[in-house]
Amino acid sequence: MEYFERCELMELLKLEFIPSRVLWRLFLCLAKACVGMAYPPPQYHDMPDTYREVIIPGDEPRSIIHFDLHPYNVFMDNPYDTIGDVPEHGYVPRFKLGDLGLMTEWDDGWEDDVKFAQTNVGKPGYQAPEQRNRLKAVQPGAFGPHTNVWGAGLLMFNALTLYFTEDDQWQPQICRITMPDGTARDLNTWAPFLVGHQVYDEFRAYPIELRTLIARCMADDAEDRPSLEELLDAINQNIAQGDERANEAQRNWEEQKRLDPTKEKPAVDVKTPPAVEDNDLLVRFFREYFRELPVREDPYKDLWDGDDR
């Protein structure tokens, strides 16, 4: 068992804005959690202390499903443990998936009544499409790594939009998206306000690559969701591109300062998405939201009888 002294992902969802470079790294942690469930570590006595989640070529992924992916079950690690781990973390701490009480290795050979019982779990609003549809639930291959990918996409939807999906009227919609190869296609997704013609204005500041990948993870049809390999590759590529844009911005600023030593850099605003997320933004976000332990009230304070327990 591991103790997390910081906070759950839910604490960050109370903010007004989370930088996209932070979101991409959160996405990487969630994607690696999906990989870890599909390719769990082998169980032997001399296992290394640190296990890296990797896709094992030639091995079939296992259908281990978390079944309880929501913001209260994603925990932030001590940021100082990974501040030197660049580019994967740096000023963004590691996020870990917890609460494995509902985790199940799915078996297509189960009787239908067992399948129904296994899928009727999880927090309302956070159940994957294959859980919501009893006809889908009994189909061969209905559950697998793609189910966890949908849950990871929903957590990213929460983190980007700061919106919680417990609305009974929430349904997938057909949206026009651009695929990584440049082709356009229609996608039936549970994240309709991130892509297509009805994107909310407050979300347009985030990269279209991030919004599209989230929408694809939340596709209603499992076959439309990215594979684990594609998901990891896309996230790592965009982390590298965001870091390079930030480094380029820093080089440009240093040149401006050289030409005009009196020039002052604009103040960093951690509440508004900038055109380019430079390193100063990540440093300030780290200082204000990651460095210190959150101050939280005791949720059970009203239950105590007034003594000093």
Side-chain angles (χ1 to χ4, degrees):
M1 183 176 291
E2 189 172 0
Y3 171 68
F4 294 94
E5 63 179 10
R6 296 288 158 164
C7 63
E8 306 93 355
L9 176 60
M10 180 62 77
E11 292 292 321
L12 291 184
L13 304 189
K14 300 174 183 177
L15 304 178
E16 298 179 52
F17 157 68
I18 302 177
S20 64
R21 291 175 68 197
V22 174
L23 291 177
W24 277 119
R25 285 169 166 84
L26 167 62
F27 211 167
L28 181 60
C29 290
L30 296 175
K32 287 196 169 187
C34 293
V35 172
M37 288 183 279
Y39 300 92
Q43 301 299 313
Y44 50 85
H45 69 281
D46 57 346
M47 282 183 61
D49 292 335
T50 301
Y51 174 74
R52 288 285 184 175
E53 304 87 348
V54 294
I55 298 173
I56 303 174
D59 282 12
E60 281 293 319
R62 291 170 61 178
S63 295
I64 299 175
I65 316 301
H66 189 278
F67 279 127
D68 204 15
L69 289 169
H70 62 77
Y72 281 113
N73 285 341
V74 178
F75 303 94
M76 187 175 78
D77 207 353
N78 187 328
Y80 292 105
D81 288 348
T82 50
I83 195 168
D85 188 358
V86 179
E88 186 169 326
H89 294 286
Y91 287 104
V92 181
R94 180 168 46 211
F95 290 87
K96 292 187 176 181
L97 185 60
D99 195 349
L100 311 181
L102 295 179
M103 180 178 284
T104 302
E105 183 156 15
W106 188 264
D107 185 349
D108 273 337
W110 286 334
E111 297 293 333
D112 287 356
D113 58 341
V114 176
K115 292 180 179 180
F116 293 144
Q118 290 290 340
T119 59
N120 191 27
V121 295
K123 185 175 176 63
Y126 285 83
Q127 295 176 320
E130 41 269 36
Q131 287 180 264
R132 300 164 187 255
N133 186 325
R134 292 173 67 89
L135 293 178
K136 283 186 176 182
V138 298
Q139 297 299 316
F143 291 86
H146 53 266
T147 306
N148 294 322
V149 166
W150 191 92
L154 176 51
L155 289 169
M156 290 304 304
F157 180 86
N158 292 153
L160 187 152
T161 65
L162 307 179
Y163 172 76
F164 302 97
T165 50
E166 297 182 5
D167 185 353
D168 291 339
Q169 304 302 316
W170 182 46
Q171 294 293 328
Q173 297 183 34
I174 301 293
C175 297
R176 194 71 171 171
I177 67 166
T178 300
M179 297 292 288
D181 62 3
T183 60
R185 59 157 297 184
D186 289 332
L187 179 74
N188 193 25
T189 177
W190 290 78
F193 308 115
L194 298 185
V195 292
H197 68 278
Q198 54 183 352
V199 179
Y200 285 7
D201 289 340
E202 58 264 38
F203 305 150
R204 293 184 185 277
Y206 287 99
I208 184 60
E209 295 83 2
L210 177 59
R211 292 186 278 119
T212 300
L213 190 59
I214 294 172
R216 290 181 60 209
C217 287
M218 295 182 66
D220 190 62
D221 191 335
E223 294 183 356
D224 290 332
R225 300 170 202 165
S227 67
L228 292 174
E229 184 174 13
E230 181 187 357
L231 184 60
L232 284 177
D233 288 347
I235 294 170
N236 281 312
Q237 180 180 2
N238 279 279
I239 286 176
Q241 290 175 350
D243 290 353
E244 177 52 35
R245 283 192 290 268
N247 293 335
E248 179 65 21
Q250 180 62 28
R251 290 191 291 268
N252 291 340
W253 162 248
E254 291 172 355
E255 177 63 15
Q256 294 176 40
K257 189 69 173 178
R258 185 186 68 81
L259 296 174
D260 181 4
T262 65
K263 191 176 182 65
E264 296 294 330
K265 202 169 188 179
V268 175
D269 185 355
V270 294
K271 296 183 178 181
T272 305
V276 176
E277 294 183 358
D278 61 15
N279 293 324
D280 289 347
L281 173 64
L282 258 64
V283 170
R284 182 169 176 183
F285 199 86
F286 172 86
R287 289 172 177 169
E288 296 192 9
Y289 301 119
F290 292 147
R291 184 170 62 179
E292 302 298 332
L293 289 171
V295 178
R296 291 180 286 181
E297 295 185 355
D298 181 359
Y300 306 107
K301 65 180 181 178
D302 295 334
L303 301 179
W304 307 131
D305 58 8
D307 60 19
D308 294 329
R309 286 186 296 172

